[in-house]
Amino acid sequence: MTQLEAARQGIITKEMETAARDEGVPAEYIRQGVAEGTIVIPANIYHKSLHPYAIGKGLRTKMNVNLGISEDVCNYETEQVKAKLAWEMKAEAIMDLSCYGETAPFREWLVKNSPAAIGTVPMYDVKGVLHKGLKDMTADDLFSVVERHAKDGVDFMTIHAGLNRETAKHIMRNKRITNLVSRGGSILFAWMYMHGKENPFYEQFDRLLELLRKYDVTLSLGDGCRSGSGHDSTDAIQISELINLGELVLRARRAGVQVMVEGPGHMPISDVRMNVEVAKKLTHGAPLYVLGPIVTDVAPGYDHITAAIGGALSASCGADFLCYVTPAEHLRLPDVDDVHEGIVASKIACHAADLAKGVKGAALWDEKMSWARRKVDFKEMIPLAIDPAKARRYRESSKPEDEFTCTMCGSMCPMKTLDEILNNRNPEDDPFEKK
């Protein structure tokens, strides 16, 4: 049975127990959330190296790392380095977005070695698997790629099932600046346009659910109509798809399939809270997975920052799962350094949101750092940093004479000044008391 079916029968699985220990909450809390559909644990029955993580209501904000090859950059050795970096930096999920050639060996390597949940977008892989153009692909062909990924042990899949013919009409009628920026969504739209048919994943949704249930693959309902620019945020196209996604969430739950929903892309800060609240309302509290959101369109090279701003705000408002964005977003395939920068930015966003949400234990980390700073103890501070290696490089690049200060303030360090006064004062002597 799936995690959802077990939870509904009152069974606490070993995956629920592991997730509960990680979160510092009772296993019953996880079970109840999974049963309600407000928590998911992506865990394919064939992913044996998995450390299961729970995503959803009341839990730490989780992070996904995208990687994979393209037609222009196809070095799987580099992608393996990126994956190992993601594991070292405790990313809870990795999505293989490879979209060229034979992808199965790398996907199988990931499943064999990854403690993080593995996700894919099967539509990215249709050309490489089927060796034919979209015009010649049948609905059965598309489903065969989904099943192959499931058999390979993928824990969650992005399927753009909410992009139906009615939503496609909205796309034709409502002109955007950036049209569809979802790669998977645009491929499906093109297939529907070429064939003059309904989206097979919407039309045959029960078939999709039966396939996913067999392997306990978590369905990540993709936002094929997400906005690709601030101008296009929260329009009729996006909302039309979101209404469909809410209906599909209920059908997935009834079928015993765990389900989460992917959220919008680019939007101004003023739209973030409203988008999160509307998405949560229309999709019945399903875990919300967001890319960014990217809060301004003019920062190529720095979109890990624009996304971290949007991610922190959206997660503080109720989003549960952040997809990292690297500095290379909109420019090229990220290299290893880009991946590192993207992970750090996303980890900052996740933790900032957890502080705002009052997630259990989140503030303790900050308090430990604050006490170390009060003591001006860099040997204690640096290991507490999100990126200790970078903190150490900065510290060692400019050392002061006094080990218990830094080259910013030196002898004028406010921590040392106040500690010297307050620790050595006579409690009975208060110079601020009127005499």
Side-chain angles (χ1 to χ4, degrees), residues 28-41:
E28 175 58 22
Y29 179 88
I30 301 293
R31 186 206 64 78
Q32 185 174 348
V34 173
E36 293 171 350
T38 56
I39 292 174
V40 297
I41 304 176

Side-chain angles (χ1 to χ4, degrees), residues 14-160:
K14 63 181 187 300
E15 290 83 7
M16 296 176 200
E17 291 175 347
T18 299
R21 284 195 299 271
D22 286 346
E23 300 290 337
V25 300
E28 175 58 22
Y29 179 88
I30 301 293
R31 186 206 64 78
Q32 185 174 348
V34 173
E36 293 171 350
T38 56
I39 292 174
V40 297
I41 304 176
N44 188 307
I45 59 173
Y46 290 145
H47 188 173
K48 303 303 183 182
S49 62
L50 177 69
H51 179 103
Y53 292 100
I55 302 166
K57 184 178 179 180
L59 307 177
R60 289 185 301 106
T61 307
K62 306 304 188 299
M63 174 185 60
N64 171 70
V65 170
N66 287 341
L67 43 79
I69 61 129
S70 67
E71 186 172 357
D72 292 306
V73 184
C74 358
N75 187 332
Y76 274 122
E77 290 182 1
T78 300
E79 300 312 300
Q80 288 181 341
V81 172
K82 294 177 186 177
K84 290 173 182 176
L85 175 63
W87 301 332
E88 289 169 7
M89 299 185 74
K90 307 298 183 186
E92 290 88 4
I94 289 175
M95 289 198 79
D96 175 20
L97 303 187
S98 296
C99 58
Y100 175 75
E102 180 54 56
T103 61
F106 179 57
R107 186 166 58 251
E108 291 164 4
W109 178 86
L110 282 172
V111 170
K112 181 180 178 181
N113 294 283
S114 179
I118 300 300
T120 60
V121 186
M123 285 303 293
Y124 290 6
D125 202 24
V126 291
K127 185 177 179 182
V129 171
L130 301 171
H131 304 292
K132 58 173 81 170
L134 276 180
K135 210 165 189 179
D136 299 317
M137 292 179 193
T138 66
D140 288 344
D141 286 334
L142 302 184
F143 273 95
S144 73
V145 179
V146 173
E147 183 156 22
R148 178 166 182 175
H149 283 220
K151 285 181 177 178
D152 286 344
V154 169
D155 301 293
F156 65 101
M157 289 186 203
T158 295
I159 307 285
H160 300 89

Side-chain angles (χ1 to χ4, degrees), residues 42-340:
N44 188 307
I45 59 173
Y46 290 145
H47 188 173
K48 303 303 183 182
S49 62
L50 177 69
H51 179 103
Y53 292 100
I55 302 166
K57 184 178 179 180
L59 307 177
R60 289 185 301 106
T61 307
K62 306 304 188 299
M63 174 185 60
N64 171 70
V65 170
N66 287 341
L67 43 79
I69 61 129
S70 67
E71 186 172 357
D72 292 306
V73 184
C74 358
N75 187 332
Y76 274 122
E77 290 182 1
T78 300
E79 300 312 300
Q80 288 181 341
V81 172
K82 294 177 186 177
K84 290 173 182 176
L85 175 63
W87 301 332
E88 289 169 7
M89 299 185 74
K90 307 298 183 186
E92 290 88 4
I94 289 175
M95 289 198 79
D96 175 20
L97 303 187
S98 296
C99 58
Y100 175 75
E102 180 54 56
T103 61
F106 179 57
R107 186 166 58 251
E108 291 164 4
W109 178 86
L110 282 172
V111 170
K112 181 180 178 181
N113 294 283
S114 179
I118 300 300
T120 60
V121 186
M123 285 303 293
Y124 290 6
D125 202 24
V126 291
K127 185 177 179 182
V129 171
L130 301 171
H131 304 292
K132 58 173 81 170
L134 276 180
K135 210 165 189 179
D136 299 317
M137 292 179 193
T138 66
D140 288 344
D141 286 334
L142 302 184
F143 273 95
S144 73
V145 179
V146 173
E147 183 156 22
R148 178 166 182 175
H149 283 220
K151 285 181 177 178
D152 286 344
V154 169
D155 301 293
F156 65 101
M157 289 186 203
T158 295
I159 307 285
H160 300 89
L163 176 52
N164 63 2
R165 293 183 69 158
E166 190 60 37
T167 300
K169 292 177 185 177
H170 285 286
I171 295 169
M172 303 297 283
R173 291 194 297 260
N174 295 271
K175 299 305 179 183
R176 286 177 161 185
I177 291 179
T178 48
N179 294 316
L180 294 186
V181 296
S182 162
R183 193 188 315 170
S186 67
I187 295 170
L188 262 177
F189 179 85
W191 186 93
M192 294 163 64
Y193 188 86
M194 290 176 185
H195 291 260
K197 293 183 177 180
E198 181 58 275
N199 176 352
F201 297 122
Y202 179 82
E203 188 174 46
Q204 302 181 55
F205 191 63
D206 290 338
R207 176 183 179 183
L208 175 66
L209 294 177
E210 183 179 353
L211 192 161
L212 298 179
R213 180 189 171 279
K214 181 177 178 181
Y215 303 92
D216 199 1
V217 176
T218 297
L219 173 59
S220 187
L221 286 167
D223 52 343
C225 298
R226 69 176 181 267
S227 51
S229 60
H231 175 276
D232 297 338
S233 171
T234 327
D235 63 0
I237 301 170
Q238 176 189 323
I239 299 301
S240 171
E241 182 186 37
L242 187 59
I243 292 170
N244 293 337
L245 296 183
E247 295 171 352
L248 297 178
V249 164
L250 296 180
R251 289 175 64 183
R253 288 174 178 170
R254 285 196 294 269
V257 174
Q258 297 186 95
V259 59
M260 56 186 172
V261 173
E262 298 184 13
H266 295 233
M267 67 181 64
I269 285 177
S270 55
D271 280 9
V272 172
R273 177 176 291 277
M274 177 263 293
N275 268 268
V276 171
E277 292 177 350
V278 168
K280 281 285 188 177
K281 181 73 172 177
L282 292 181
T283 62
H284 315 284
L288 182 61
Y289 176 25
V290 296
L291 177 73
I294 290 175
V295 295
T296 176
D297 300 324
V298 297
Y302 297 91
D303 276 323
H304 59 312
I305 296 174
T306 64
I309 294 168
L313 181 54
S314 63
S316 72
C317 297
D320 308 285
F321 191 21
L322 302 186
C323 186
Y324 92 148
V325 172
T326 77
E329 186 78 6
H330 303 113
L331 300 171
R332 61 168 168 81
L333 197 77
D335 62 21
V336 175
D337 289 338
D338 296 326
V339 169
H340 179 270

